[in-house]
């Protein structure tokens, strides 16, 4: 069955043909072209990805075909797959994800692992998450440490609405407030402060590459150096953490030294940095 450049075939359109066509076309904008195609076609057919492998010769209806081609057109703009399907998996939870929120990244699961390791076996802990986005970090902590008491903040009201709906969907009891970092947080002491703040330098060309232009800029960058938000968060933590309390921050692979320096400047101790599955410095934690 011959196909032309825009993937328009003479009917029938099989799953296998459509995946091959979409993968070929998405190579220009995505390093996960095959996966993107599978996720989008599975979404379109309301099936899981294994269905596509099991039934490669199944034909698409013309509605499914139109829908899939519309999704591929949008992916080429490029819009992130998670915005097109409206969801992303994080810590084995399906989270609603919209253009108001950062798309949760797999490497951020490390931040959750580290918090869960720190609080394992301790009595109920008071946890503050700054910049919650979809709520990914707080939801995952609450799911695996249900006794913990979590306050999650964001400056973006639309993001908070998404986070709140994710908490409802997963039956997790978390308090959300709109706040510019600590500004609207009551002066109370927490055992743990955790954040994946915006940490890309405003002039970094990376911001204009791949899917990043589609994500909210305030979720990615907080200023010229990329360390502005980190600085505010660490400085404020002195006031909001109990003695012996921990703060854990995700940061860029090249920011370990700078972040350690800021922790030292504000008198934190027991500072250490964890590396992700690509062996890149990713999370630095410190104790008050
Ligand atoms: C890198 S995203 C992290 C989102 C989510 N925690 C995650 O890991 O997927 C940073 C978040 O910080 C929020 N943010 C940016 N500036 C803020 C500020 N001044 N106060 C509070 N939150 C802020 C953004 O809206 C965004 O949701």
């Amino acid at each position: 069955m011959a196909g032309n450049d825009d993937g328009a075939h003479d009917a029938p359109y099989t799953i296998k043909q459509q995946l091959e066509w979409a993968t070929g076309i998405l190579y220009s904008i995505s390093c996960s072209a095959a996966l993107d195609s599978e996720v989008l076609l599975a979404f379109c057919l309301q099936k899981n990805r294994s269905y596509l492998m099991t039934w490669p010769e199944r034909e698409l209806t013309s509605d499914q075909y139109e829908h899939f081609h519309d999704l591929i057109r949008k992916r080429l703009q490029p819009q992130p797959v998670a915005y097109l399907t409206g969801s992303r998996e994080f810590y084995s939870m399906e989270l609603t994800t919209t253009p108001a929120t950062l798309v949760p990244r797999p490497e951020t699961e490390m931040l959750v692992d580290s918090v869960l390791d720190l609080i394992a076996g301790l009595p109920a802990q008071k946890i503050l998450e700054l910049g919650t986005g979809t709520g990914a970090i707080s939801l995952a902590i609450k799911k695996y440490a249900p006794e913990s008491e979590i306050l999650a903040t964001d400056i973006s009201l639309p993001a908070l609405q998404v986070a709140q709906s994710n908490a409802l969907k997963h039956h997790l009891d978390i308090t959300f407030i709109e706040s510019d970092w600590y500004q609207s947080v009551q002066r109370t002491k927490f055992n743990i402060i955790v954040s994946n703040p915006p940490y890309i330098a405003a002039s970094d060309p990376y911001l204009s590459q791949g899917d990043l232009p589609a994500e909210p800029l305030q979720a990615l960058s907080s200023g010229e150096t990329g360390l502005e938000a980190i600085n505010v968060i660490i400085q404020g933590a002195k006031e909001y953490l109990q003695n012996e309390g921990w703060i854990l921050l995700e940061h860029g692979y090249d920011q370990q030294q700078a972040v350690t320096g800021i922790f030292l400047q504000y008198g934190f101790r027991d500072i250490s940095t964890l590396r992700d599955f690509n062996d890149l410095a990713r999370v630095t934690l410190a104790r008050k």
Side-chain angles (χ1 to χ4, degrees), residues 90 100-105 108 111 129-137 153-156 159 179-182 195-199 216 218-222 229 250:
F90 182 85
T101 64
L102 185 92
V103 177
R105 312 289 206 263
T108 301
L111 204 48
E129 190 207 350
L130 297 168
T132 196
T134 55
I137 296 170
T153 74
D154 207 288
I155 199 168
S156 158
S179 178
D180 181 355
W181 302 131
Y182 298 94
S195 183
N196 171 19
Y199 54 72
Q218 72 178 357
L220 298 167
S221 178
S222 61
E250 181 170 327

Side-chain angles (χ1 to χ4, degrees), residues 160-171:
L160 281 170
Q161 284 162 349
V162 173
Q164 228 142 12
S165 78
N166 278 324
L168 266 178
K169 183 161 81 177
H170 291 281
H171 311 289

Side-chain angles (χ1 to χ4, degrees), residues 39-112:
V39 171
L40 291 173
L41 186 53
F43 170 69
C44 203
L45 303 182
Q46 297 292 294
K47 302 283 185 196
N48 56 34
R49 278 169 53 222
S50 57
Y51 177 92
L52 308 178
M53 306 306 125
T54 313
W55 305 105
E57 303 307 330
R58 280 270 152 97
E59 292 166 16
L60 276 63
T61 65
S62 53
D63 282 353
Q64 289 167 338
Y65 175 93
E66 289 304 330
H67 186 196
F68 184 54
H69 281 238
D70 184 46
L71 291 171
I72 296 298
R73 265 191 298 277
K74 290 178 174 153
R75 181 72 191 106
L76 281 169
Q77 288 176 353
Q79 290 187 33
V81 172
Y83 292 166
L84 297 174
T85 61
S87 77
R88 173 54 48 100
E89 190 180 306
F90 182 85
Y91 229 83
S92 304
M93 286 183 293
E94 209 54 47
L95 299 182
T96 297
T97 306
T98 77
T101 64
L102 185 92
V103 177
R105 312 289 206 263
E107 53 268 30
T108 301
E109 295 191 352
M110 244 186 100
L111 204 48
V112 176

Side-chain angles (χ1 to χ4, degrees), residues 200-210 212-213:
I200 304 176
S203 55
D204 192 329
Y206 182 57
L207 279 175
S208 57
Q209 292 168 14
L212 266 69

